Amino acid sequence: MQNHAPAASARPDIISLDVLLNDVEEGRVRVPRFQRPYVWTPQMMRELFESVLSGYPIGSLLFWAPRDLVVETMDMVGPIAIPTADLSSQISLVLDGHQRLATLFGILRLPENHPRGDTASASDSAWWLGYDLEAEQCRQFRKPEDFQNPALLPFRTVLRTADFVKFARSIDATSRYSTQDKVILLDRADRVQRAIRDYRVALTSMRDGTVDDAVAIFARVNRSGRRMSSDQMAVALTYHHGFNLEDTLDSILGALSEYGFGDVSRNVVLQSLLRGAGRNFTKPNFDDLRKSETQQALQHATDPVKQSLCEAASFLNRVIGFHTARLMPYALQLFMLSVFFLSRTSENSPPNRQIEHVLARWFWATSFEGWFASANSSEVEQAANSMEQFALSNLDEQDIKQFEARFIDRPLRPFLKTFDRRSARIRSLMLVQIARGPLIDPITGEELDGSALVADPDTRDIPYVFAPDGTKAARSPANRILLPRSHGGVVRAALEAHTDETGGLASHGIDGKARAALALGDLLAFVSAREAVLVAQEAEFLSKFGLRKSDDIAPSEYEVDIDDL
């Protein structure tokens, strides 16, 4: 067996946080453009600092110092702009650990003038992380009064001696605490400072090597732990050949955002691009993505795919009646619709009302059947081919019959007993409520935008009617209601005050029996009555498309078949 010298050498090291952050601040450590963007949540940011304060390891960082190579890098690390790289000095690129490094750098080096308080966005506020010296826990500073609270230590002051001294003096000067309490708070602040100042990070630096070496290592280290999605892997593998797939995906998602679908899975956009380029979209060949001819095909497909996805999104807006991917039962439904519109050439006439009705029937059938939940990659590919064949056909009665034979071929799933938005069946239930419309807020009397309620990234879920008590009845979809979270997480009390305003309640499937149970505080009777109404509403709505739920299938207790968005 022939021995080959390693393409790159690696050296392990241990480095202090302060030294590491100085290198980032001065532009000596940079993030290559083929990295994924910053995606961590505030909870993940807090958990990282909790590990640092406890002295727990946060995993090794992997850097690459290329020789005689210029690699495109990001201008920002976290929320902070970094200086242009000095080409005369050695630059290290982050291959693994971008999210951790950006969190540490963004929080500990956060500028004092970074947006804060009520005027700051949720993403800006997340960087104002610190330590509550009274509660002894990490927390984000969100309200203006948080920045005036002498017991809240901003982490940005910890490695800045003058700022930390100023903070310590604010505790000493306040009349809010006794002398003994001040001593306790100052001691805790000192422990936090020492924990961060003395923390060491494991670092492995790779010297020399090619861009291919770096991308291969990047792909390998990201196949363990939190896996990369297909679009992230594709971006990593194509970037260095001059085709910026990330910008292409962003451009398409930006166009989709005009229809409310900018929150669709990036992987669906990638699949649409791959199919438009004539490549395998169910099992992407990453080696093939590195070939110039594949990238040229992707570039050539970008504009028509963007247009077809926008036409699919427009169809969902106009015909189905919603505008957020968070309500899409299956993301592949958007992909399949884009296949239809992509296949319609300029010589084809646009779909008429009859064809739109056929596509709507297809949408509701696949939503309630769980068609895509059980489909394997081969079936998905065949389904795309069927959609293309249908689009290229004469769209006559025989063509419609042949098209529907593939998709409308199994019973519709019954009402679920447990609410979970990761269930396509639950999303279908909410879609029917929105599509039947209009939904009226019984508390304010205003018309509601159901899509906007579900799309709100700050809303994890829609409110309960009765407070959850661990019973099956409390977990029922009939105990959840499409109302703004501003009314609270539990809205029974607010609804009780408006039981005479039947129009708003009726739009949410709350009839006379349910109103009576609401007034009596009878959860079981309320859920039973409202569930019966919701089931009847679904049946009536689906009958417009010639679809009927089976009476032979018992309702399921619990069902999750898609990733949460």
Side-chain angles (χ1 to χ4, degrees), residues 78-120:
I80 304 173
I82 56 176
T84 303
D86 181 358
L87 298 180
S88 64
S89 62
Q90 181 70 66
I91 303 299
S92 292
L93 303 175
V94 182
L95 291 190
D96 188 39
H98 169 218
Q99 306 294 317
R100 286 167 285 157
L101 180 63
T103 301
L104 293 168
F105 180 70
I107 289 171
L108 293 173
R109 289 288 194 265
L110 192 70
E112 190 172 11
N113 63 354
H114 187 74
R116 64 170 72 180
D118 292 339
T119 60

Side-chain angles (χ1 to χ4, degrees), residues 377-410:
S377 58
S378 176
E379 289 171 326
V380 170
E381 185 173 4
Q382 292 171 13
N385 292 336
S386 294
M387 185 66 82
E388 180 180 26
Q389 291 168 9
F390 178 56
L392 295 174
S393 71
N394 295 323
L395 304 180
D396 57 24
E397 186 175 343
Q398 184 60 35
D399 295 324
I400 294 172
K401 184 177 180 180
Q402 184 176 350
F403 169 72
E404 292 188 339
R406 172 170 292 280
F407 295 104
I408 307 178
D409 61 349
R410 59 199 72 182

Side-chain angles (χ1 to χ4, degrees), residues 256-323:
L256 285 172
S257 66
E258 296 182 17
Y259 302 89
F261 284 86
D263 53 355
V264 73
S265 165
R266 292 170 71 89
N267 194 48
V268 166
V269 179
L270 173 62
Q271 288 180 301
S272 299
L273 272 174
L274 288 171
R275 195 177 194 283
R279 284 354 187 230
N280 190 328
F281 69 92
T282 58
K283 294 181 180 179
N285 184 328
F286 295 124
D287 288 331
D288 184 54
L289 287 174
R290 305 168 81 168
K291 298 176 181 177
S292 59
E293 57 266 32
T294 297
Q295 293 172 27
Q296 291 172 5
L298 289 170
Q299 286 178 295
H300 183 72
T302 296
D303 287 342
V305 166
K306 179 190 294 186
Q307 181 178 343
S308 68
L309 281 167
C310 287
E311 289 185 67
S314 174
F315 169 83
L316 294 173
N317 289 171
R318 295 180 295 101
V319 180
I320 305 301
F322 72 106
H323 48 268

Side-chain angles (χ1 to χ4, degrees), residues 417 464 466 469-480 523-528:
K417 291 296 185 181
Y464 289 88
F466 284 78
D469 59 6
T471 63
K472 289 183 178 180
R475 295 195 298 270
S476 169
N479 192 35
R480 305 298 277 270
L523 167 63
L524 191 61
F526 174 82
V527 166
S528 177

Side-chain angles (χ1 to χ4, degrees), residues 53-73:
L53 295 179
S54 300
Y56 297 155
I58 59 172
S60 176
L61 304 179
L62 177 62
F63 288 179
W64 170 44
R67 176 183 295 178
D68 301 328
L69 280 173
V70 177
V71 178
E72 293 285 341
T73 59

Side-chain angles (χ1 to χ4, degrees), residues 312-390:
S314 174
F315 169 83
L316 294 173
N317 289 171
R318 295 180 295 101
V319 180
I320 305 301
F322 72 106
H323 48 268
T324 171
R326 291 176 181 267
L327 273 169
M328 181 80 72
Y330 298 101
L332 278 172
Q333 290 170 310
L334 180 67
F335 165 78
M336 291 293 169
L337 287 169
S338 77
V339 170
F340 176 88
F341 289 106
L342 183 64
S343 304
R344 299 290 291 173
T345 67
S346 58
E347 298 176 357
N348 297 134
S349 59
N352 56 29
R353 289 189 178 182
Q354 179 191 9
I355 300 306
E356 287 187 340
H357 181 81
V358 172
L359 291 176
R361 173 175 155 87
W362 167 87
F363 175 85
W364 290 112
T366 55
S367 297
F368 276 83
E369 288 175 348
W371 199 97
F372 291 102
S374 59
N376 57 36
S377 58
S378 176
E379 289 171 326
V380 170
E381 185 173 4
Q382 292 171 13
N385 292 336
S386 294
M387 185 66 82
E388 180 180 26
Q389 291 168 9
F390 178 56

